[in-house]
């Protein structure tokens, strides 16, 4: 299986999980919290957290459960850790038995699902995935830059975060609106959310709330 095929499968699986339940975690305070939180919305046995290769478990963790790695395996890194691109490739090797190179990631960024600038502690662990590069950089330049303002209480205190409308859109390669006033951009995203089975009114309320809140200091 190619790396791009794995990335596409993981994207679909994670988005489908979030559509079923909003409790999908993207940030926790420490690897020890992962087994009890990552699979909280699914029936079945708890997960197990461990290292990835020889990497320090204070920097990189892998949480797994028996079954399909698309849904049963994920990679997490400390907010302070800079080697997450190679950590992701090592995770792919362990979870799928596929040896991929950095060059095979062309068109994708390996990045934190939640901007690490929003983490209150550099020891907090954030899930990483392959994200379409153009969309990832646009979200970083616009929404995530605004949402990372240190004046927000959550950026000072919350070490547990769940997946959001914005994270789902970024993972899917959807580009961001220019701000809370960009109705055309918001409508485009709502159409995407409807296409994956979500309610249009709920999507509009969720997006408008997130955008208005993130941009309130700008």
């Amino acid at each position: 299986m190619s790396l791009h095929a794995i990335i596409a499968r993981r994207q679909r699986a994670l988005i489908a999980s979030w559509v079923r339940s909003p409790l999908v975690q993207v940030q926790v305070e420490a690897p020890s919290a992962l087994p009890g939180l990552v699979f909280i919305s699914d029936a079945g046995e708890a997960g197990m957290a461990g290292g990835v290769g020889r990497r320090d478990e204070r920097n990189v963790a892998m949480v797994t459960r028996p079954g399909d790695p698309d849904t049963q395996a994920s990679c997490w890194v400390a907010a302070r850790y800079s080697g997450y691109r190679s950590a992701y490739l090592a995770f792919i090797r362990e979870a799928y038995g596929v040896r991929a190179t950095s060059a095979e990631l062309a068109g994708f960024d390996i990045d934190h699902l939640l901007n690490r600038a929003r983490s209150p502690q550099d020891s907090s662990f954030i899930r990483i995935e392959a994200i379409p590069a153009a969309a990832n950089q646009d979200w970083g330049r616009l929404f995530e830059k605004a949402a990372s303002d240190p004046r927000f209480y959550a950026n000072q205190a919350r070490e547990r975060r769940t997946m959001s409308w914005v994270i789902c859109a970024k993972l899917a390669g959807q580009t961001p609106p220019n701000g809370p006033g960009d109705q055309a951009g918001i409508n485009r995203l709502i159409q995407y959310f409807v296409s994956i089975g979500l309610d249009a009114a709920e999507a509009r309320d969720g997006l408008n709330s997130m955008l208005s809140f993130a941009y309130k200091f700008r």
Side-chain angles (χ1 to χ4, degrees):
M1 190 189 319
S2 72
L3 179 59
H4 279 210
I6 291 171
I7 289 170
R9 285 173 44 162
R10 292 188 61 78
Q11 177 202 79
R12 289 193 297 269
L14 181 51
I15 290 173
S17 294
W18 181 71
V19 169
R20 290 193 302 271
S21 170
L23 297 178
V24 174
Q25 298 286 325
V26 295
Q27 179 181 274
V28 300
E29 67 274 17
S32 58
L34 289 169
L37 289 175
V38 170
F39 303 109
I40 195 169
S41 63
D42 298 332
E45 62 187 274
M48 296 179 57
V52 177
R54 295 185 176 183
R55 288 165 177 80
D56 191 327
E57 292 185 24
R58 292 170 297 181
N59 291 326
V60 183
M62 176 176 172
V63 59
T64 59
R65 197 167 64 170
D68 185 352
D70 294 349
T71 57
Q72 306 300 320
S74 53
C75 187
W76 302 70
V77 298
R80 63 173 175 265
Y81 184 64
S82 61
Y84 43 90
R85 188 177 179 91
S86 63
Y88 180 82
L89 292 172
F91 160 74
I92 293 295
R93 184 165 61 250
E94 292 202 14
Y96 293 88
V98 172
R99 290 184 174 272
T101 66
S102 185
E104 293 175 73
L105 287 169
F108 290 90
D109 290 340
I110 303 306
D111 207 355
H112 311 83
L113 290 182
L114 181 81
N115 187 354
R116 62 178 175 173
R118 300 176 68 187
S119 178
Q121 303 292 334
D122 65 5
S123 57
S124 298
F125 268 61
I126 308 170
R127 181 168 174 168
I128 58 171
E129 291 291 346
I131 303 171
N136 187 50
Q137 290 159 27
D138 282 348
W139 280 103
R141 177 176 55 85
L142 293 168
F143 176 86
E144 290 182 346
K145 184 176 180 180
S148 298
D149 193 299
R151 287 173 287 184
F152 288 121
Y153 172 78
N155 295 342
Q156 302 172 31
R158 285 181 57 194
E159 289 194 85
R160 292 187 181 182
R161 301 279 194 109
T162 54
M163 194 162 156
S164 68
W165 301 96
V166 164
I167 292 171
C168 175
K170 178 176 72 170
L171 182 66
Q174 298 292 314
T175 55
N178 290 321
D182 181 5
Q183 290 305 309
I186 291 169
N187 289 339
R188 174 177 45 77
L189 287 182
I190 290 168
Q191 290 175 1
Y192 164 71
F193 288 123
V194 169
S195 77
I196 60 173
L198 295 168
D199 179 75
E202 184 180 359
R204 187 176 298 278
D205 288 345
L207 276 173
N208 282 335
S209 176
M210 292 193 73
L211 289 166
S212 297
F213 186 78
Y215 283 85
K216 72 178 183 178
F217 290 129
R218 302 191 76 181

